[in-house]
Amino acid sequence: MKKVIIYSTRICPFCVRAKNFFDKKEIPYENIMVDQNPEQLQIMMEKTKRQSVPQIFIGDYHVGGFDELVEHDMDGKLEELLMD
């Protein structure tokens, strides 16, 4: 399974929803809290050209935010993305 990374903050409700989504599916992820680490915020913004959270990556693929994550799941693309 490819590595999942979620860039998030403590107060973001969509970040919580994204983490709950992966928890329910028992998919491990690395949670990078950008509100606690300004360097990681800069890295996220450089990689995504976005300032909003969550920003979700599966391997090198930028999924986007929570809404895009759900769209990928509903379209059946999420399982493909997770496979090595």
Side-chain angles (χ1 to χ4, degrees):
M1 184 178 292
K2 290 183 183 164
K3 184 175 184 175
V4 175
I5 297 175
I6 303 173
Y7 290 92
S8 66
T9 65
R10 288 173 287 180
I11 61 170
C12 164
F14 288 102
C15 298
V16 172
R17 293 174 79 182
K19 291 182 259 187
N20 286 340
F21 175 91
F22 285 115
D23 287 341
K24 286 180 184 174
K25 291 189 173 280
E26 298 182 353
I27 298 170
Y29 58 87
E30 179 182 351
N31 182 35
I32 299 175
M33 303 291 285
V34 298
D35 59 340
Q36 297 175 0
N37 189 336
E39 289 176 17
Q40 288 295 332
L41 176 61
Q42 280 302 122
I43 291 169
M44 179 198 83
M45 291 186 335
E46 288 171 15
K47 288 170 75 172
T48 65
K49 309 296 184 233
R50 297 180 184 182
Q51 296 179 15
S52 61
V53 289
Q55 293 300 320
I56 302 162
F57 284 84
I58 298 176
D60 292 332
Y61 179 78
H62 179 222
V63 174
F66 178 72
D67 291 339
E68 291 91 353
L69 174 64
V70 172
E71 285 178 28
H72 278 70
D73 187 43
M74 291 175 66
D75 292 344
K77 295 178 184 173
L78 184 62
E79 295 300 320
E80 285 178 35
L81 288 171
L82 289 166
M83 293 300 138
D84 272 331

